[in-house]
């Protein structure tokens, strides 16, 4: 077993992991299948297997009767064949006997009804019985397997938070009150922070507070926010308890939880510090839209996950073929599996792992794609695709453990999203927060720049440029952090519908963006919600004439309009902010409506830095042009310079080398010039890259 004095060091597993979820408990009566699987794994260059994720009823078929020998046998056999194991704690799904004997382990819904037994990921997070049962089994697994040379990490539970509803049982409600008491100290403080005099909802004591419910209180937005924070805190507490049980059992191996795509119910930033490695499950709907569009969206998720710890992560699950839970189970076209897998690696993953290695025979995932399907052979298209990825990963061994250096970032904050989406504000028909953040992300990526996707709690001073689209809620300390950042030379791009409320959703008084009006050199006076069919434009500010609605005409010096081709005009939809500038210079003005001539894009010098303000929901082209100009001004350049449309360029850095990944997500071949001195590690290149092709090359720095 590896001696692990420093857990951080272990996190570079020394090889790109290739493998994934495996459920041998479904095949214990077919030893020939289990044996054959290992043969296939080796053929497909699979070097890791994740087991135990849903094994509880096999590990403990009756209360207190433990059966771990089958697992020992599997782990021994895997190890004898050089295959590592990520071992899961089984808390993601419980045995029936437990639910029957201890109903408190089942969740209660917001209407007060307790669930029946069934499904998964749905245990009460507070139940002392569940916690104790989990503690016992986790500790036992740790004692028995924590020092096995095959085992390299712990997979805590499964997709935490992925249930139909939170738990609203009396135990959880009591914990919620404790959480609030600790947070607010007195009920007066809570009443003020939550604005409870509205509709006479004032509380007299913490004991009166109930969780939000559609049948009860749901109009106190701050209550809803604190409930989400509380639920996150419950998960955090659960992770801590599971980790403690693993440590009690003697294992010091690294831990992870598998996170999910753009997952809103919990704040992953609060969970990230509690695990050693970030991992996530990626199931893009390839071929639904243009592949380049799906690739951009997926890339942003990879970068969000990587930015949680600013460290390599693991792709814990992905589908080797088609899932069976999307509306249409689309097969991946030739080359797509490899492109999708290597995209994860390009963005910082040290693994390509699948759900699932062998397809289950019955129940709800029997048609979910797998490395080995019901046919049971290795002469399949999917098996060949998987094998090819295994070979690629071996060629990319040097990339393992390397970091991703980003000089630009996009702030994409889940608490802000919780607040904004319930706010009942300028556009209940859709605010398009994610889409707007993606526009900023894409504008950077189209230049081949690495991008961190961070939240308001993370540092800014490591970046040259930070985009902060639609930051409706400024969390404690964020405005000050932004001010200092710009003062010291940072560049920010902020947009409409930013700086409106504080952390408990109380509106800022005295003008918005709250605390940042001088940094941006303007004040937002009103915001116009546009109907779906409405549109406005941003036209060059030199066509602007002071019309009495603004204080003064705007000087053209100060670098002049930053967007190249001053004749450009851009369309905008959904939301138009009507700002009054103080020191900011308009670069674009609105082209129509009663606010024609009002600023639509501005820039303000503040301290050593600059702050741009995008007043409306502009088309992608505006972001592309603006961010290219800003990156140019900041002297930031991607490794390829101009990036052809539909191509992704991503860089990982290790020692004296950069590893550059160039991926063609277009449906046709594309010509790309590699940087001088590039040494190709994997992929085919002849001055062009095939559709869905990837070229990974190393370049000495
Ligand atoms: C999730 C789960 C897996 C499996 C897959 C199917 O990622 O963690 O157990 O259900 O979805 O895509
Ligand atoms: Zn509960």
């Amino acid at each position: 077993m590896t001696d692990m004095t420093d857990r951080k060091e272990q996190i570079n597993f020394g090889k790109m992991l290739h493998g994934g979820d495996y459920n041998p408990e479904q095949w214990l009566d077919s030893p020939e299948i289990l044996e054959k699987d290992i043969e296939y794994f080796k053929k497909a260059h699979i070097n890791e297997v994740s087991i135990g994720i849903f094994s509880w009823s096999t590990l403990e078929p009756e209360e207190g009767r433990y059966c771990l020998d089958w697992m020992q046998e599997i782990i021994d056999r895997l190890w004898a064949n050089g295959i590592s194991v990520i071992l899961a704690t089984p808390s993601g799904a419980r045995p029936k006997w437990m639910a029957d004997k201890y109903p408190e382990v089942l969740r209660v819904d917001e209407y007060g009804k307790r669930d029946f037994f069934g499904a998964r990921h749905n245990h009460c997070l507070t139940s002392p019985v569940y916690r104790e049962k989990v503690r016992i089994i986790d500790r036992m697994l740790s004692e028995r397997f924590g020092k096995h040379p095959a085992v390299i990490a712990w997979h805590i539970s499964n997709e935490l938070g992925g249930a139909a509803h939170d738990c609203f049982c009396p135990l959880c409600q009591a914990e919620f009150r404790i959480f609030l008491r600790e947070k607010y100290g007195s009920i007066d403080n809570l009443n003020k922070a939550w604005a409870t005099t509205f509709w006479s909802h004032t509380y007299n004591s913490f004991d009166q507070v109930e969780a939000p419910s559609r049948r009860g209180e749901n109009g106190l937005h701050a209550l809803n926010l604190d409930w989400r924070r509380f639920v996150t805190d419950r998960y955090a507490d659960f992770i801590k308890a599971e980790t403690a049980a693993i440590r009690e059992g003697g294992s010091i191996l690294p831990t992870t939880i598998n996170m999910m795509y753009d997952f809103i119910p919990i704040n992953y930033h609060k969970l990230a510090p509690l695990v050693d490695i970030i991992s996530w499950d990626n199931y893009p709907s390839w071929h639904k839209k243009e592949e380049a569009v799906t690739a951009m969206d997926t890339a942003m998720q990879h970068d969000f996950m990587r930015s949680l710890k600013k460290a390599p992560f693991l792709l814990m699950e992905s589908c080797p073929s088609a899932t069976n839970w999307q509306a249409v189970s689309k097969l991946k076209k030739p080359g797509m599996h490899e492109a999708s897998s290597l995209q994860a690696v390009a963005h910082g993953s040290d693994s390509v792992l699948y759900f699932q290695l062998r397809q289950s025979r019955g129940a709800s995932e029997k048609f979910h794609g797998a490395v080995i399907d019901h046919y049971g052979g290795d002469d399949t298209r999917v098996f060949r695709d998987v094998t090819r990825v295994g070979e690629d990963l071996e060629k990319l061994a040097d990339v393992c453990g390397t970091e991703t250096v980003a000089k630009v970032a996009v702030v994409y904050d889940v608490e802000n999203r919780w607040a904004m989406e319930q706010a009942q504000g300028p556009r209940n028909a859709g605010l398009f927060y994610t889409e707007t953040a993606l526009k900023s992300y894409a504008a950077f990526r189209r230049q081949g720049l690495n991008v961190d996707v961070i939240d308001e709690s993370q540092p800014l001073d490591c970046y040259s440029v930070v985009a902060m689209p639609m930051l409706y809620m400024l969390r404690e300390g964020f405005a000050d952090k932004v001010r200092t950042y710009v003062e010291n030379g940072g560049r920010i791009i902020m947009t409409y519908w930013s700086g409106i409320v504080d952390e408990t959703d109380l509106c800022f008084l005295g003008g918005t963006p709250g605390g940042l009006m001088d940094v941006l050199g303007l004040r937002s006076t009103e915001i116009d919600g546009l109907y779906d069919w409405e549109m406005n434009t941003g036209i060059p500010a030199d066509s602007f004439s002071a019309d009495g609605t603004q204080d003064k005409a705007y000087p053209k010096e100060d670098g002049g309009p930053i967007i190249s081709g001053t004749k450009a005009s851009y369309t905008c939809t959904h939301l138009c902010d009507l700002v009054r500038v103080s020191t900011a210079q308009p670069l674009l003005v609105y082209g129509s409506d009663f606010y024609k001539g009002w600023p639509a894009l501005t820039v303000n010098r503040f301290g050593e830095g600059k702050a741009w303000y995008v007043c409306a929901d502009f088309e992608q082209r505006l972001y592309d042009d603006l961010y290219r100009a800003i990156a140019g001004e900041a002297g930031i350049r991607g490794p390829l310079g101009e990036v052809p449309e539909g191509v992704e360029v991503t860089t990982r850095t290790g020692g004296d080398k950069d590893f550059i990944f160039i991926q063609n997500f277009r449906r046709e071949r594309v010509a790309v010039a590699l940087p001088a001195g590039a040494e190709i590690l994997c992929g085919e290149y002849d001055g062009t890259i095939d559709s869905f092709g990837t070229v990974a090359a190393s370049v000495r720095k």
Side-chain angles (χ1 to χ4, degrees), residues 299 302-303 306 342-348 403-405 441 445 447-451 639-640 643 647-653 658-663 665 695-697:
H302 283 309
D303 282 332
R306 181 185 50 72
L342 295 184
Q343 189 189 25
V345 176
H347 286 267
E403 32 161 12
T404 304
V405 182
Y441 176 81
R445 290 290 300 142
Q447 303 174 62
L449 302 176
N450 285 345
V451 185
L640 255 58
V643 178
V647 171
E648 261 217 75
V649 179
T650 319
T651 310
R652 291 181 67 170
T653 302
D658 278 339
F659 297 95
I660 302 174
F661 290 78
I662 306 166
Q663 301 204 274
F665 284 104
V695 170

Side-chain angles (χ1 to χ4, degrees), residues 200-395:
S200 259
H201 289 198
T202 312
Y203 298 100
N204 300 108
S205 79
F206 284 102
D207 300 334
Q208 295 177 325
V209 180
E210 289 163 342
S213 165
R214 267 168 288 192
R215 210 168 74 199
E217 184 64 88
N218 55 48
L220 286 177
H221 294 160
L223 161 69
N224 300 341
L225 284 177
D226 276 337
W227 175 256
R228 295 259 54 86
R229 292 180 180 126
F230 163 72
V231 171
T232 296
D233 195 65
R234 286 281 82 196
Y235 279 107
D237 199 58
F238 210 90
I239 293 168
K240 284 186 206 156
E242 289 218 58
T243 310
I246 290 168
R247 303 295 179 234
E248 239 180 80
S251 172
I252 52 165
L253 290 170
T255 58
T256 189
I257 52 170
N258 51 335
M259 297 179 171
M260 290 171 271
Y261 170 89
D262 203 28
F263 192 67
I264 325 170
I266 42 186
N267 181 355
Y268 279 157
H269 284 272
K270 301 274 185 197
L271 307 188
L274 306 176
V275 293
D276 298 305
I277 319 167
I278 298 299
S279 69
W280 83 286
D281 302 345
N282 177 34
Y283 294 98
S285 304
W286 293 114
H287 314 305
K288 187 173 177 183
K289 300 178 184 157
E290 272 177 47
E291 289 75 15
V293 172
T294 307
M296 188 64 80
D297 181 56
T298 307
M300 181 161 144
Q301 289 298 315
H302 283 309
D303 282 332
F304 169 84
M305 296 295 172
R306 181 185 50 72
S307 303
L308 285 169
K309 273 194 186 295
K310 308 244 179 91
F313 61 93
L314 297 180
L315 177 64
M316 187 57 82
E317 291 179 26
S318 61
C319 187
S321 166
T323 65
N324 72 329
W325 50 262
Q326 289 164 339
V328 172
S329 305
K330 191 85 205 149
L331 294 181
K332 282 187 246 172
K333 296 187 193 300
M336 200 66 241
H337 178 63
E338 190 184 24
S340 183
S341 301
L342 295 184
Q343 189 189 25
V345 176
H347 286 267
S349 177
D350 278 358
S351 72
V352 174
L353 307 180
Y354 308 115
F355 180 88
Q356 50 196 333
L357 298 187
R358 178 176 276 277
Q359 197 166 34
S360 57
R361 198 160 177 203
S364 70
E365 287 180 337
K366 60 183 175 295
F367 296 123
H368 192 290
V371 176
I372 305 158
D373 63 14
H374 298 143
Y375 156 64
D378 58 355
D379 51 342
T380 63
R381 189 180 76 100
V382 170
F383 194 89
R384 279 191 293 274
D385 276 357
V386 165
T387 305
R388 191 177 158 105
V389 169
E391 288 163 357
D392 290 342
L393 293 176
E394 283 168 10
K395 294 179 196 157

